[in-house]
Amino acid sequence: MMYNYKQIEKKWQKYWKENNTYVVSNDTCLDKKKYYMLVEFPYPSGVGLHVGHARVYTASDVQARFKRSLGYNVLFPMGWDAFGAPAEQYAIKNHIHPKMAVLENIKVFKGQMESLGLSIDWSREFSTTDPEYYKWTQWQFLQFYKAGLAYKDEKEINWCPKCKTGLSNEDAQGGVCERCGSRTEKKLKNQWLLRMSNYADKLLDGLKNTDFLDKVKTAQVNWIGKSEGALVKFHLAGTEDDLEVFTTRCDTLYGVTFMVISPEHPFLKKYLDKIVNRNELEKYQKEAALKSEIERTDATKEKTGVCLDGLEAIHPLTGERLAIWVSDYVLSSYGTGAIMAVPAHDERDYAFAKKFGIPILPVIAGGDVLTEAYTGDGVHIHSSFLDGLDKEEAISAMLKYLEENHIGERKVNYRLQDWIFSRQRFWGEPIPMIHCDKCGWVEVPVCDLPVLLPDVSSYEPTDDGESPLANITDWVNTTCPKCGGVAKRETDTMPNWAGSSWYWLRYMDPKNSCEFASMDAMKYWGMVDLYDGGMEHATRHLLYARFWNIFLHEQGLVPYSEPFLKRISHGMILGEGGEKMSKSRGNVVNPNDMIRDYGADALRVYEMFIGDYTKDATWSENGLKGCKKFLNRIWNLQDKLNDCCEYSKNLENLIHKTIKKVTNDIETLNYNTAVSALMILLNEMDKEKEISRRDYRTILHLLNPFAPHITEELNEIYHLGDEFSSSSWPQYEEEKTVSQTLKIGVQVNGKLRSTIEVVKDTSKDELEKLAISEENVQKHIEGKEIIKIIAIPNRIVNIVVK
RNA sequence: GCCUGAGUGGCGAAAUAGGUAGACGCACAGGACUUAAAAUCCUGCGAGAUUCAAACCUCGUGUCGGUUCAAGUCCGACCUUAGGCACCA
């Protein structure tokens, strides 16, 4: 008999909704421990969920159902991250307001999630585009501003010519727009920034208090890019200024033969009148500005540069005059935008010196400087007081000397930069600031929050690099909250990452209209226990969110510094051909179709069975069919049901084993082996003529987190016990997980020659006797000398012969 | 170039502490049921040699070496591959 999955799944989904089965309270009086299961909320695009999303939400749901069954008060919420370019583009294309586009898309997404049977507490749902939500995003921005961490600055930013907006460094990795793939340009623009670089060390230190996957931690550490070294001052001849450089190898100071500064270095403007070859310089600067980030950072391309005529630096130790070169291999965004060049021991400096015929002076013994830059670590030479010292000794001796003589100081440098927080888009949170000619930048008073987006019909990006909001004069023109004079609103909006930088806090107290979340609620739910998301967010969302939370904690606004205890990242689902699923490839599998043809339970079981959850997996509809078959067999097991309320003798041992295995596997996210353990148990039950009510109840319970509908249905039909959604997880007895008899292998010289069946804990001596008496073993030891016998009870026997 | 992982049948994958490699599933083949197909059930399924058939034997977890009674697992070198960082001073 086939089971009617369509009707059963609909029935239980309706039942859960009507009974608020998965609505959770912040009740601190409950005698339950809390568990916060968070999964990255989706961006509700026009295309709906695909089976990759379904895998992630199912895994989180399995975890939530499991933890609930273990007695935890589980927070498993869902919301929508709906600001940003895709919604805006979708709206422009379909000639509707982004607000409406978002509503439409959310409806589709939510419907899909509901048909998967997820145990989400929908009473806590919100979208980052809800004014009641972004009011608090704006409020939090003002806290950054008050703390001096939000500032407006003329900055060279990453500009996407296609999207017509500025991007953060994180969104323009490798000089490519994350959204559309265009090459980004450098553009000087007045931007809002958040001082994230001040938090570099805190972001590094905080990792110690988390249990993130190693590769996630490494990605963050690399992105922050801490390097320890020294700041060294080279006097600029004939001026009051010093040219400052950052170096990690101040021990090679005696090897410096020239200086290099970036084409954007401020001294070039300041001392332009001193520079004789001005025309040559300006030509070079123009060329550099036109180059894309990719071209500029291509390490394989030949070095270019201009030697300044009229400006020289003075070596702080030797007093020698050093030529200053301008070259785009020095980046204005890292360190001081200037370097001391040590061609003998740095590949790049070497290549540059070679090309322009600059002297190369070795200061570390051991390399052949004529053929290549020396990178080994011999002792120092030609270096005065450093001669004979090794790298570590020389660095500390030089640091001491620099500091004592005020030539330089220890300095830690970071790759991490301030967060470019302005976007020239319509569909984002307006930055709640007002500019008044008299008072300067003035905050929007809290009572006027949220600053709402205007309801207009045209919100397409402008060509001049200004936000679309700038054209809406009614909205822009306002009065200064301070002096009451005429003033203008900030027209830039926040990046998409703003709304996702605190959303997990809002779930704790989503209806609060006085605060973003009450301290009590935040204390109750604490840190997110398990946060599941994609690897693509390891350096962006995860860094922004941690920065935001650390800041709020410093302001006394949240109880914990780190927001997430454990971060895991799931793999993708690839199309049947092993390629990434995409609309253009036409290999996207829609979960709706799979649910229609096989049922939500089958889809869920298959998604969990497909392979290691943290790795990519290739979709196979045949695999899904196999899981459907498994559920059919679970359904048909009812025909074997007897009246007995204890475990069947033949199955008891395996049942205890399976409870243990499934429990541990869900805990450690090894969902695929948990499912296989259930398949093994089913196979054994199927071999029996009858199974007991307890046998059935237990396998159904273990399967419930994976296939909640069919299991609740069977449990109800046969009155096997309470609903699984309110039952405690089955217990196993350790001693009953061990078999009384077992088969162990017998090897001769490490090769398997036979197996013997013995009772558990058979002694060493007995094992040896049994092993030797095996016929095939005899054949292999006949006429040979037994050197020794290794017999390990319950494991193996190995006979070593010569 | 540097930093992480990962390489196991035709395929997706298993293998707590070194202890019977390939569990579980898919695909495939043979059989049962059926007028037939689908569904379902049963059997087989790493490669090779041998055999009527089987037992048995040899080889086998990316490559080469090592440690050990015993290596997918530990150690060393290398190859391939995925991801992160990268003219970062």
Side-chain angles (χ1 to χ4, degrees), chain A residues 454-692:
Chain A
D455 267 321
V456 292
S457 51
S458 174
Y459 40 82
E460 307 192 8
T462 59
D463 289 322
D464 59 3
E466 285 305 309
S467 163
L469 288 171
N471 293 335
I472 307 168
T473 42
D474 281 357
W475 186 83
V476 174
N477 293 327
T478 185
T479 50
C480 172
K482 223 176 199 171
C483 70
V486 291
K488 285 183 189 300
R489 288 190 188 280
E490 171 59 64
T491 58
D492 286 352
T493 52
M494 298 189 198
N496 187 211
W497 305 107
S500 56
S501 288
W502 69 281
Y503 74 110
W504 67 94
L505 297 170
R506 188 64 178 174
Y507 287 138
M508 299 176 183
D509 195 8
K511 302 282 188 283
N512 198 327
S513 56
C514 311
E515 309 164 273
F516 62 85
S518 78
M519 193 48 101
D520 281 347
M522 290 188 285
K523 278 185 177 157
Y524 176 68
W525 290 111
M527 288 168 81
V528 171
D529 292 277
L530 184 62
Y531 189 19
D532 187 354
M535 199 53 206
E536 70 274 21
H537 291 140
T539 51
R540 292 185 291 174
H541 162 59
L542 209 51
L543 223 38
Y544 296 141
R546 291 182 55 228
F547 162 57
W548 201 284
N549 197 83
I550 292 171
F551 166 72
L552 291 180
H553 176 250
E554 283 178 348
Q555 300 295 306
L557 297 168
V558 300
Y560 297 92
S561 178
E562 282 293 330
F564 316 121
L565 194 58
K566 184 168 183 162
R567 165 77 182 197
I568 55 158
S569 76
H570 51 256
M572 278 187 303
I573 298 272
L574 307 172
E576 299 239 15
E579 287 175 312
K580 207 172 160 174
M581 278 190 192
S582 70
K583 241 190 353 195
S584 56
R585 285 196 186 87
N587 60 353
V588 176
V589 180
N590 188 327
N592 291 3
D593 299 341
M594 298 301 115
I595 290 171
R596 182 194 61 214
D597 294 346
Y598 306 98
D601 281 336
L603 176 62
R604 292 170 57 112
V605 169
Y606 174 58
E607 298 249 21
M608 294 298 91
F609 185 60
I610 195 168
D612 185 333
Y613 181 60
T614 62
K615 292 193 190 121
D616 291 352
T618 305
W619 181 260
S620 150
E621 197 162 328
N622 277 327
L624 172 54
K625 282 181 192 165
C627 291
K628 178 69 200 309
K629 202 156 90 179
F630 165 65
L631 292 182
N632 280 338
R633 291 176 62 205
I634 289 279
W635 181 261
N636 292 335
L637 217 45
Q638 60 184 288
D639 300 339
K640 297 185 189 242
L641 205 53
N642 65 24
D643 288 335
C644 177
C645 292
E646 285 309 318
Y647 286 141
S648 303
K649 270 220 174 87
N650 287 348
L651 295 168
E652 188 173 26
N653 184 230
L654 183 63
I655 289 173
H656 281 276
K657 245 185 220 171
T658 308
I659 297 172
K660 184 179 179 180
K661 172 95 181 132
V662 172
T663 307
N664 290 341
D665 282 351
I666 297 178
E667 197 80 60
T668 53
L669 317 178
N670 295 114
Y671 304 113
N672 55 336
T673 48
V675 173
S676 92
L678 289 167
M679 289 174 170
I680 292 169
L681 181 58
L682 169 68
N683 289 345
E684 290 307 310
M685 286 183 169
D686 238 357
K687 286 179 194 160
E688 299 293 319
K689 277 210 177 68
E690 296 187 340
I691 60 164
S692 74

